[in-house]
Amino acid sequence: MSLRERKKEKKINEIMNSAMGLISKKGYHATTMDDIASELLMTKGSLYYYFKDKEDLVFYCTKQLLGESIQQAEEIERLDVNSHEKLHKAIVVHMEYLLTERSGFEIGSKPRSFFSGEKLDHVVKLRHDYASCMDRMIEEGMASGEFEQGDVKVKRNLLLGAMNYSISWYSLSGPLDITETAHKSAEHLMKMFVK
Amino acid sequence: MSLRERKKEKKINEIMNSAMGLISKKGYHATTMDDIASELLMTKGSLYYYFKDKEDLVFYCTKQLLGESIQQAEEIERLDVNSHEKLHKAIVVHMEYLLTERSGFEIGSKPRSFFSGEKLDHVVKLRHDYASCMDRMIEEGMASGEFEQGDVKVKRNLLLGAMNYSISWYSLSGPLDITETAHKSAEHLMKMFVK
Amino acid sequence: MSLRERKKEKKINEIMNSAMGLISKKGYHATTMDDIASELLMTKGSLYYYFKDKEDLVFYCTKQLLGESIQQAEEIERLDVNSHEKLHKAIVVHMEYLLTERSGFEIGSKPRSFFSGEKLDHVVKLRHDYASCMDRMIEEGMASGEFEQGDVKVKRNLLLGAMNYSISWYSLSGPLDITETAHKSAEHLMKMFVK
Amino acid sequence: MSLRERKKEKKINEIMNSAMGLISKKGYHATTMDDIASELLMTKGSLYYYFKDKEDLVFYCTKQLLGESIQQAEEIERLDVNSHEKLHKAIVVHMEYLLTERSGFEIGSKPRSFFSGEKLDHVVKLRHDYASCMDRMIEEGMASGEFEQGDVKVKRNLLLGAMNYSISWYSLSGPLDITETAHKSAEHLMKMFVK
DNA sequence: GATGAATGAGGGTTCATTCAT
DNA sequence: CATGAATGAACCCTCATTCAT
């Protein structure tokens, strides 16, 4: 990759980080292209050199976010440990990622409000992939007898909800740091699964 | 109450229901006053006869939602049953209410983005009241030895997140009806608390 | 006139007074039909029983205001005193009327912004009548040798401007009452005319 | 200053001139942002690139208007001539400025209806500064014996009213041009002051 | 590549006006 | 007659988007 391309790539990442931060803090509609640009000392217009439009920018953010989450989850899935440890680790990693990046946003949970056409399909697929990976871990645990039987989808959704909401209540100024919060939460949540 | 007043009251409720439904589906900013009005075959302007502005309308929605939730929870708190049954019932009722009204929305969880001044204070207080009621039930269970010890706030927040997210994934066309979903979820979630 | 008609007449006058007071205080556009009505403990809708529309209401206010001013001025014109006394008295009466009723408003000076068609013609005519009466008093003084010669129209306009502006600066809480203000002003202004 | 900046400055001035012209003709509320923009063949939205909102635009208009008036008046105050000549010149300059710019408007006289907070304070201060300068000239004349004694504030207000009203009656198609009108008026008005 | 400037669609809000009851 | 309710046009303002320089 040429120097120029690397510079562009870097810029793109900066923009996406700015966007994700702002959107997760203020919400999609309350975040303007101006907000995103001025955080980077750019002008609104420049963003359009890197992204076709706002939907595009947000799509790539969502894609990256979900993509990394999936990758992390799948790596964990492949670990040679029991289901309990896998799911526990998946929860910890998910929450640490969420709280560190401060970037789990509404977009993921209501894709139909933000995307259409191919982009919507893509996001839906990624969400599905992530959910499937979670489901497989849960099913594995049930099959091996580690976890109690039960409706996998319901359990997985309760789990996702519990984890994702943390971005709304976790406070840097609170008594727990991110790692502690993630681990405490994981321990509590795992009790939903074990026998 | 006169006929006129009852009609007005009814209209107000219709507007609030329309608003809550749309906002919980599309989000606050994506829901326009036009959307809300046209769902009721009214014109935008008419809404302003009943509510001072959009913030006002949403405030009363939030207030009613949280108010009723608190009332339900406090009634449950006063029941003469053990902590397990109380919390279980609270979860079921919360989820049934949420899924029936289709009205648990972002507003409750990020009041600072939507309200200011007295309205903000009021909503924050209501949220606090609801959380406190939950906390008391959890603490009671811990004190009586029914529940495992643990960080009450973290547990309560995980619980709230898990419950509230249901509005995003529950589907009327799915295999479970609302009551079943609520009960299943309650059983799963209660495992976080019991020894 | 029947009782009913007298009642109606009275109501009409109340409405006009309310309208004039508010408009002179807040301006035409900033005064809403609601403002006018609620000052009289009526509802907006009722006003339309008495006046076709806002323009109509304001037209009758203007007409009455200018009509009374003209009548007063013409009575003074007919007095059997010298021109100095006449003009002096005209100024005093004009200002007292203005400051008492608090009702000299923008409408009079920019009729073209508020009226059209016959109403505009009528108001323009009334304004002209009032100006003419002033002009005649001034001309009479010039003819009799009491007043210095000079451009009558310019003098009359300066005079009107000076008088009408008083509504902006006169304060009930100031050191002078209305009568004193009117007399002081008249004395100062008369110096523009005398030799 | 770069070309860009000069162009922007120019545009800002064009907008302010358009605004002042329309507002002095039709009044603040009757002048829409659309009116102002379309006179300059721009779209409404563009105005907001230059001014935060309507209040802001009008504030800067008022500020410039009053600011220049004060500067002119203070320069005249510093001239080494007698009070009569000073006040006479001040009147001429004020009226010429007013009639040339077509921009003396209601705003100045009822700032409380249009501004709030710091903007209001600023406008009130400017009005006070201008009035004070006038007052000093009048007092100087009284002290030197050129002018008759009398209530300075009342005289100044009558003077301001007479001058400012000219924008309502002066007509380019009339027999007098602006300079003639200003001079004639000044001569008439000065008679209020001299012994 | 970046920026300043312009645009236009659309959202929230106000208000004169109408009308059934 | 009066009122509550509804309407719709018009206004202020925002913001994603475009484009010449």
Side-chain angles (χ1 to χ4, degrees):
Chain A
M1 203 192 302
S2 76
L3 177 61
R4 179 158 296 175
E5 279 170 330
R6 252 179 304 159
K7 259 193 164 175
K8 187 167 176 178
E9 187 108 339
K10 195 181 151 211
K11 200 80 169 180
I12 285 180
N13 276 317
E14 283 172 9
I15 295 172
M16 285 171 58
N17 283 331
S18 171
M20 287 190 291
L22 287 167
I23 291 176
S24 72
K25 206 188 308 162
K26 317 202 302 176
Y28 176 82
H29 284 99
T31 302
T32 70
M33 295 298 268
D34 248 334
D35 291 337
I36 297 167
S38 63
E39 218 190 33
L40 299 169
L41 306 179
M42 312 169 71
T43 53
K44 212 169 23 170
S46 310
L47 296 184
Y48 287 84
Y49 176 73
Y50 299 97
F51 295 95
K52 200 177 121 286
D53 53 27
K54 196 181 179 185
E55 184 184 339
D56 212 50
L57 165 54
V58 173
F59 171 68
Y60 285 108
C61 291
T62 308
K63 194 173 148 183
Q64 173 176 304
L65 214 62
L66 284 173
E68 290 185 11
S69 294
I70 291 170
Q71 210 180 312
Q72 289 171 344
E74 287 180 345
E75 274 171 29
I76 292 168
E77 195 190 357
R78 283 192 296 274
L79 291 179
D80 190 20
V81 296
N82 64 25
S83 296
H84 187 284
E85 271 187 60
K86 277 187 194 173
L87 194 55
H88 186 281
K89 190 166 182 58
I91 294 171
V92 169
V93 167
H94 182 112
M95 288 189 70
E96 282 181 345
Y97 184 58
L98 211 65
L99 297 177
T100 308
E101 304 283 331
R102 306 248 108 202
S103 311
F105 43 80
E106 36 175 336
I107 312 290
S109 58
K110 292 184 190 174
R112 238 156 286 269
S113 307
F114 304 100
F115 305 117
S116 55
E118 289 180 29
K119 278 178 190 143
L120 176 59
D121 294 344
H122 199 119
V123 172
V124 168
K125 185 189 170 306
L126 288 174
R127 269 169 40 94
H128 176 262
D129 287 351
Y130 188 66
S132 296
C133 183
M134 285 284 172
D135 287 355
R136 282 195 305 275
M137 292 193 237
I138 297 171
E139 280 160 356
E140 195 187 283
M142 289 181 180
S144 73
E146 280 177 78
F147 293 170
E148 201 169 10
Q149 299 301 315
D151 189 313
V152 177
K153 282 190 175 45
V154 172
K155 287 198 167 183
R156 174 246 294 163
N157 280 322
L158 293 171
L159 177 60
L160 284 173
M163 293 193 297
N164 289 335
Y165 187 55
S166 66
I167 211 162
S168 293
W169 55 263
Y170 176 73
S171 158
L172 284 172
S173 58
L176 302 175
D177 66 22
I178 289 178
T179 306
E180 290 166 341
T181 303
H183 278 87
K184 269 218 160 123
S185 299
E187 266 144 57
H188 295 325
L189 291 168
M190 282 309 296
K191 296 189 66 192
M192 277 205 289
F193 297 93
V194 297
K195 279 189 169 165
Chain B
M1 203 192 304
S2 76
L3 177 62
R4 269 262 159 85
E5 279 168 331
R6 250 176 305 159
K7 263 194 166 172
K8 185 167 182 175
E9 188 113 332
K10 196 183 148 207
K11 198 79 169 184
I12 286 179
N13 277 319
E14 283 172 10
I15 295 173
M16 285 172 59
N17 285 330
S18 171
M20 288 190 291
L22 286 166
I23 291 176
S24 71
K25 206 187 307 164
K26 316 203 301 178
Y28 177 83
H29 284 101
T31 302
T32 72
M33 294 300 268
D34 247 336
D35 291 338
I36 297 167
S38 59
E39 216 188 34
L40 299 168
L41 305 178
M42 312 170 72
T43 56
K44 208 170 29 163
S46 307
L47 296 184
Y48 288 85
Y49 180 75
Y50 297 96
F51 296 95
K52 205 179 113 286
D53 53 27
K54 195 181 180 184
E55 184 183 338
D56 214 49
L57 166 53
V58 174
F59 171 68
Y60 283 108
C61 291
T62 309
K63 194 174 150 184
Q64 174 177 302
L65 212 63
L66 285 172
E68 290 186 11
S69 296
I70 291 170
Q71 210 179 313
Q72 290 171 344
E74 286 180 345
E75 271 171 32
I76 292 167
E77 194 190 358
R78 282 192 296 274
L79 291 179
D80 191 20
V81 296
N82 64 26
S83 296
H84 187 286
E85 273 186 58
K86 277 188 193 173
L87 194 55
H88 186 280
K89 192 167 179 57
I91 294 170
V92 168
V93 167
H94 181 112
M95 288 189 70
E96 282 181 345
Y97 183 57
L98 212 65
L99 298 177
T100 307
E101 304 283 334
R102 304 250 104 202
S103 316
F105 42 81
E106 39 174 335
I107 312 292
S109 56
K110 290 191 183 178
R112 240 156 283 270
S113 308
F114 306 99
F115 304 118
S116 55
E118 288 181 30
K119 280 181 190 141
L120 176 59
D121 295 343
H122 200 116
V123 172
V124 167
K125 186 189 169 305
L126 289 175
R127 270 171 36 96
H128 176 261
D129 287 351
Y130 188 67
S132 297
C133 183
M134 286 283 171
D135 288 355
R136 283 194 306 273
M137 290 194 236
I138 297 170
E139 280 159 357
E140 194 188 283
M142 289 179 179
S144 71
E146 280 175 76
F147 293 171
E148 201 170 10
Q149 299 299 316
D151 189 313
V152 176
K153 281 190 177 46
V154 172
K155 287 196 168 183
R156 174 248 293 164
N157 281 322
L158 293 171
L159 177 60
L160 283 174
M163 294 193 297
N164 289 335
Y165 187 55
S166 66
I167 209 160
S168 295
W169 55 263
Y170 176 72
S171 157
L172 284 172
S173 57
L176 303 176
D177 68 22
I178 290 178
T179 307
E180 289 165 340
T181 303
H183 277 89
K184 270 217 159 124
S185 300
E187 265 142 59
H188 295 328
L189 290 168
M190 283 309 296
K191 296 189 66 189
M192 279 205 289
F193 298 93
V194 296
K195 276 189 172 165
Chain C
M1 203 191 305
S2 75
L3 177 61
R4 179 157 296 174
E5 279 169 328
R6 251 178 304 159
K7 258 194 164 174
K8 186 166 177 179
E9 187 109 337
K10 196 181 150 210
K11 201 81 169 180
I12 285 180
N13 276 318
E14 283 172 9
I15 294 172
M16 285 172 58
N17 284 331
S18 171
M20 288 189 291
L22 287 167
I23 292 176
S24 72
K25 207 189 308 164
K26 317 202 301 178
Y28 176 81
H29 284 99
T31 303
T32 71
M33 296 297 268
D34 248 334
D35 292 336
I36 297 167
S38 63
E39 218 189 31
L40 299 168
L41 306 179
M42 311 169 72
T43 52
K44 213 168 24 169
S46 308
L47 296 184
Y48 288 84
Y49 176 74
Y50 299 97
F51 296 95
K52 201 178 120 285
D53 54 26
K54 196 179 180 186
E55 184 184 339
D56 212 49
L57 165 53
V58 174
F59 171 67
Y60 284 108
C61 292
T62 309
K63 194 173 148 182
Q64 173 176 304
L65 214 63
L66 284 172
E68 290 185 14
S69 295
I70 291 170
Q71 210 180 315
Q72 289 172 343
E74 287 180 345
E75 272 172 31
I76 291 168
E77 195 190 358
R78 283 193 297 273
L79 291 179
D80 190 20
V81 295
N82 64 24
S83 296
H84 187 285
E85 273 187 59
K86 277 188 194 174
L87 194 55
H88 186 281
K89 191 165 182 57
I91 293 171
V92 169
V93 167
H94 182 112
M95 288 188 71
E96 283 180 346
Y97 184 58
L98 211 64
L99 297 177
T100 307
E101 303 284 331
R102 302 249 110 201
S103 314
F105 43 81
E106 34 173 340
I107 312 289
S109 57
K110 291 185 189 175
R112 239 157 286 269
S113 307
F114 304 98
F115 304 117
S116 55
E118 288 180 29
K119 279 179 190 143
L120 176 58
D121 296 343
H122 200 118
V123 173
V124 168
K125 184 188 170 308
L126 289 174
R127 270 169 38 96
H128 177 261
D129 287 351
Y130 187 66
S132 296
C133 182
M134 285 284 173
D135 288 354
R136 283 194 304 274
M137 290 194 237
I138 297 170
E139 279 159 356
E140 194 187 282
M142 288 181 180
S144 73
E146 278 176 80
F147 293 170
E148 200 169 11
Q149 297 301 316
D151 188 314
V152 176
K153 282 189 175 44
V154 171
K155 286 197 169 184
R156 174 248 294 163
N157 280 322
L158 293 170
L159 178 59
L160 283 173
M163 294 193 298
N164 289 335
Y165 187 55
S166 65
I167 211 162
S168 294
W169 54 263
Y170 175 73
S171 158
L172 283 171
S173 57
L176 302 176
D177 67 21
I178 290 179
T179 307
E180 289 166 341
T181 303
H183 278 89
K184 269 217 160 127
S185 299
E187 265 143 58
H188 296 326
L189 291 168
M190 283 309 296
K191 295 190 67 191
M192 279 206 288
F193 297 93
V194 297
K195 276 189 170 164
Chain D
M1 202 191 306
S2 76
L3 177 61
R4 269 262 159 86
E5 281 168 330
R6 250 177 305 160
K7 262 193 168 174
K8 186 166 181 175
E9 188 112 334
K10 196 182 150 209
K11 198 79 170 183
I12 286 179
N13 277 319
E14 282 172 10
I15 294 173
M16 285 171 59
N17 284 332
S18 171
M20 288 191 290
L22 285 167
I23 291 176
S24 72
K25 208 188 306 164
K26 317 203 301 176
Y28 177 83
H29 283 103
T31 302
T32 72
M33 293 300 267
D34 247 334
D35 290 338
I36 296 168
S38 59
E39 215 189 35
L40 300 168
L41 306 179
M42 312 169 73
T43 56
K44 212 177 12 175
S46 307
L47 296 184
Y48 289 87
Y49 180 74
Y50 297 97
F51 296 95
K52 203 178 115 288
D53 54 25
K54 195 181 179 185
E55 184 183 336
D56 212 50
L57 166 53
V58 174
F59 171 68
Y60 284 109
C61 291
T62 308
K63 193 174 150 183
Q64 174 176 303
L65 212 64
L66 285 172
E68 290 184 12
S69 295
I70 291 170
Q71 209 179 315
Q72 289 170 345
E74 287 180 345
E75 271 170 33
I76 292 168
E77 195 190 358
R78 283 192 297 274
L79 292 179
D80 190 19
V81 297
N82 64 25
S83 296
H84 187 284
E85 274 187 59
K86 277 189 195 174
L87 194 57
H88 186 280
K89 191 165 181 55
I91 294 171
V92 169
V93 167
H94 181 112
M95 289 188 70
E96 282 180 346
Y97 182 59
L98 212 63
L99 297 177
T100 307
E101 304 283 334
R102 305 249 105 202
S103 316
F105 43 81
E106 40 174 335
I107 311 291
S109 56
K110 290 190 182 178
R112 239 157 282 270
S113 308
F114 306 99
F115 304 117
S116 56
E118 288 181 31
K119 278 179 192 144
L120 176 58
D121 295 343
H122 200 117
V123 172
V124 167
K125 185 189 170 307
L126 288 175
R127 270 171 37 94
H128 176 262
D129 287 350
Y130 188 66
S132 297
C133 184
M134 285 284 173
D135 288 355
R136 285 195 303 273
M137 291 194 235
I138 297 171
E139 280 160 357
E140 194 188 282
M142 287 180 180
S144 72
E146 280 175 78
F147 293 169
E148 200 170 12
Q149 298 301 316
D151 189 313
V152 176
K153 282 191 175 44
V154 172
K155 286 197 168 183
R156 174 248 293 163
N157 281 322
L158 293 171
L159 177 60
L160 283 174
M163 295 193 297
N164 289 335
Y165 187 55
S166 66
I167 209 160
S168 294
W169 53 263
Y170 175 74
S171 158
L172 284 171
S173 57
L176 301 176
D177 67 22
I178 289 179
T179 308
E180 289 165 342
T181 304
H183 277 88
K184 269 218 160 122
S185 299
E187 265 142 58
H188 296 325
L189 291 168
M190 283 309 297
K191 295 189 68 190
M192 279 205 289
F193 297 93
V194 297
K195 277 190 169 163

